[in-house]
Structures are given as structure tokens and as C-alpha cells.
Amino acid sequence: MNASLPDIAAETAPSKSPLRLLIAAPRGFCAGVDRAIEIVERAIERYGAPVYVRHEIVHNRFVVDGLKAKGAIFVEELDQVPDGAPVVFSAHGVPKVVPQDATARGLDWLDATCPLVSKVHRQAERQVEAGRHILFVGHKGHPEVIGTMGQVPEGAISLVETVEDVARLSFAEGTPLAFLTQTTLSVDDTAEIVAALRARFPQIVGPKAEDICYATSNRQEAVKAIAGECDLLLVIGAPNSSNSLRLVEVAERMGTRSRLIQRANEIDPAWLEGVNTLGLTAGASAPEVLVREVVAKVGELRSISEETVTTTEEKMVFKLPRQLLD
Ligand code: SF4
């Protein structure tokens, strides 16, 4: 009796009900990431392989593996770079002592620090020169935070991660203070922390807007534009990518389930059960090819109707370092 047999096809085949796929724009590579990757590629052309790169050039395994295949060798510290070898510093920036040590060793070094991070470095120097103690809003341990805090003497800068941290700060009344922020933070969290800093220390000075970069804020705005309509939002990015993690948080704060994935093969078909509208975006270090890979994978599981929701157009391009333009 067929009626009593289990319906094997129904048990094993994924649901084929149509899925609305909303793809956020802007998403993926920003101008700083484009520039950093181009610096490594051009350095390999100019110097020949291998070219050393201190720290992952950008936080994306696919990108790093692609550059390894072209002749880049990734290391965590300068002392892992052999004498005479060219070295590139990652987009996140490095403490001041790193280029100083590279110069002292006579290494050819190239700085792929994003110009928007370098701008924060210069602000940090200026605030210390003006006699102010810096309260730096950022995430402990992130390479950008290590790099920015390493621009000024130890003791001249303190890290603030949360509003609760602000309440714990103690400075004598009238102490000259300035705040600066990491570039890849949550726009909403940072506004709260900066408001708490201003309330607690009315004398504090800071940039007109936080230093959160255009790419980070644009990607968060784009997620806000679609998350309310989505049952699930996928963010393509690495677990150590600050701006990608913030995109997950933005969606979750709007009550939308969100998952961070690095590649399409991490998608569990069960996640799509009951999902009518799926959102998709990518952090600033994730290439578009990985977005298309995810779209293809979702298309294998469900029939999809794909829509791109664009909140703004980005035209930012950063110049390459002079050494690569001659
Ligand atoms: S996310 Fe922002 S700060 Fe970081 S590399 Fe991109 S543009 Fe620069």
C-alpha cells in the first residue's frame, strides 16, 4: 500500500516554495579593502613573490587564500619577515613602532592602512599634542584598535567599549579629554556611548561626527532598509570582521534572525524553513563572488525572486601609495 510508505522525496527534498531574496546595497568591498588588495597584488608584480603581509590584509579567508596563491605570505609580526623581503601592513593599521622597526631593519614596506583609519591616527596624535587624554571607543583586541592606540604614548589613551565603561571612568574635574572612535562600529551603539561621554565630561572634544567610516554606516543603513521585511538575514563575513558582526547585530536589534556565514556551504537548509523573505548582505571585506555563490546555493534549495534594495551609491576610491605609482 503506497499510502503507508514514507514519502521519501518529501522528507529529503528541500521545500521548493518561492523565496523572496532581498539583497542589500551597498554591500561587500569598500574602497579601503579594494586599495589594500591592489597594494598586495601590485607589490607582488613589482618585487616578485614572495611579498610578506603583516596580519590578514583584510578579514576574509577567501581573499587571503587568493593572495597566498599569487605569492603573498601572511605573518603576524614583523620579526617573522626575513631581512630584505618586502612587507605590506594590513588595512586595519599598525602601531607606530611597526613602520619604525621596519625602517630600522631596512625593509621595503608598504602601508595598506585604510586612509580613513590613518585619519584617526593623525587625530590621535593631534589630541595628545594638544595635551588631551583620549578616550577611544572601540573593541578590545581588534587590530585597528591596537594600531590606533599604538599611535600615542602608553597612558595617553584609554579604551571605552560600552556605556557602562563610561560610568567607570574617573578623571579629575577639568582634565582635558578628547574622544575618537574605531571606524567599523555600530552607528547606534556609538552614538549612545558618545552621548554618555559628553554627559559625563562636558569639556570633552571630538570629531563633528564619529569616525565610523562611510562604508560601515552605509552597510548598516542598507540592512536597516530590508531587515524589517526579512524572516532571516544572512551576512557574508568573517567572525573577526568587526563591520560584518555589526551587520548581524543591526538586523537582530530589529527583531530579525541573522546569521554570519563565510561561504555558501555553511548554509543549513533548515534555516530556510518557514522563511518567505530572505535578506542578504556582505561585510566590507567580502567579495561579490561570495554573494553570487550564496545566491546560487539558495537557488538550489528554493526557487527565488531576487531584488536588490539600494539605499545609496558609493563612489569612493583611494589613491595607492606613491611607491606603487612610479
Ligand atoms: S571598512 Fe571603512 S575604514 Fe575599514 S577599510 Fe573599509 S572604508 Fe576603510
Side-chain angles (χ1 to χ4, degrees), residues 17-39:
S17 61
L19 179 76
R20 186 174 170 226
L21 176 62
L22 296 183
I23 307 183
R27 63 176 175 276
F29 276 6
C30 59
V33 164
D34 268 333
R35 174 179 180 269
I37 294 168
E38 194 173 350
I39 289 173

Side-chain angles (χ1 to χ4, degrees), residues 105-170:
R105 283 184 52 194
L107 297 176
D108 271 328
W109 57 268
L110 288 159
D111 191 4
T113 304
C114 175
L116 300 181
V117 175
S118 301
K119 189 174 133 207
V120 180
H121 290 182
R122 289 194 299 274
Q123 287 173 353
E125 285 177 325
R126 276 201 295 270
Q127 295 298 0
V128 169
E129 277 162 23
R132 298 188 182 101
H133 183 89
I134 299 169
L135 300 176
F136 186 58
V137 184
H139 295 294
K140 191 175 181 183
H142 189 277
E144 182 188 329
V145 171
I146 295 168
T148 300
M149 293 185 78
Q151 299 305 308
V152 296
E154 225 182 311
I157 188 165
S158 310
L159 183 65
V160 174
E161 292 190 87
T162 60
V163 169
E164 290 71 41
D165 285 351
V166 176
R168 283 192 284 268
L169 292 170
S170 89

Side-chain angles (χ1 to χ4, degrees), residues 2 90 96:
N2 280 350
S90 82
K96 222 175 197 168

Side-chain angles (χ1 to χ4, degrees), residues 30-33 91 114-117 144 183-184 213-216 243 284 318:
C30 59
V33 164
C114 175
L116 300 181
V117 175
E144 182 188 329
T183 57
T184 51
C213 76
Y214 80 99
T216 297
N243 80 89
F318 296 133

Side-chain angles (χ1 to χ4, degrees), residues 279-310:
L280 177 60
T281 187
S285 39
E288 185 63 13
V289 64
L290 299 185
V291 174
R292 296 322 305 172
E293 183 188 81
V294 167
V295 173
K297 172 75 182 176
V298 174
E300 284 170 19
L301 300 166
R302 298 273 290 272
S303 62
I304 51 176
S305 69
E306 186 182 327
E307 288 169 47
T308 295
V309 179
T310 305

